[in-house]
Amino acid sequence: MKSLKEMADNFSARVLTRDVRIMEVCGTHTTEFFRTGVKDIFPERLYLVDGPGCPVCVTQNEYLDRAIEIGKVHGVVIATFGDMIKVPSSYSSLGREKAEGMRVEVVYSPVDAVDIAAENPGIQVMFLSVGFETTAPAEAIAVQNAKERGVANFSILCGNKVTVPAVRALLDAKEVNIDGFILPGHVSAIIGVNAWRFIADEYGKPCVVVGFENHDLVKGTQMLLDLIESGEPAILNEYTRVVRDQGNLKAQEIMRDVFRVVDTEWRGIGTIPGSGLVLKDEFAEFDALKKFPVTPPPPREHPGCRCGDLLRGLIIPTDCPLFGKACTPERAVGPCMVSTEGPCSAYYKYGRK
């Protein structure tokens, strides 16, 4: 087996005969390419295009607007992963509302939110269920857990999305010339390699499922370049120690038991058929959308913010005139700057020279 240094030396010395543009679908890959320094040893003429792989980034302002309105009107305690706290909504943020008195609790698991509700029967607790296939099984388990324990003061505000339809939508739009895809290791651990075969079979684009360690990033990108240069539209799995062809069948079953698929809107992309998850009718008692009716103010985008173009691969973060000036992690204008998986955040923390 080659050492990491030998792999890195061979990678950086590779000679490409033309410009090659590869998209990393996953926000964690975006961050890891920069944080580990692998992006710095890219061979010349290799370009990384950011994709719609950050669940916080692709969530529309209307979702956060609604969550905040529910907190205000119904006095609901909002439980969320920490990523959402600083994300700007149309008019505010959870962090700002918390500073002004709204009760917002950061949790590390959706079941933690169920526990908060169980321990405080006099309050209503609403979990912000935002994520891809990676987190959806845990959120489904939280709903099942609440039902089994009879925790009636727990609910979730569904904002879950599934990734395959988004990649298909990008390919159908033909706005970006992408030579190949680095596919997300953790999402693929749930849905399996086979879920991505359409990229090669129907669109003729090579792709590789890749893990998140340094050697994964280097080896997986090398594998993708090999496919691109050979003109072979195939899919390979670099992350074999975790990802199987069929994925995690138990996790898929849990998601199917609790959620049903609907059309949903993605920031910058628009409505994508079959790309959202909402609770099935048998779990309606935990559906915050039905439980806490509100009419939030009309959503609005922040002037000059180009997160939408970024999530479609049309620009890179430094193309945005707000990047590093009006928009920083401390005073984010758009979600791509504040989410830990956001491409602007990765460029700002690790990519500035």
Side-chain angles (χ1 to χ4, degrees), residues 52 65 89 151-152 181 195 197 218 224 244 254 260 298 312 350:
D65 296 343
S89 64
V151 185
F181 289 87
R197 294 199 183 279
V218 173
L224 182 58
R244 302 289 178 266
I254 291 169
R260 63 183 174 87
R312 300 206 309 279
Y350 309 113

Side-chain angles (χ1 to χ4, degrees), residues 318-335:
T318 50
D319 292 333
C320 177
L322 305 184
F323 178 84
K325 300 169 186 169
C327 185
T328 65
E330 292 75 27
R331 294 183 61 85
V333 175

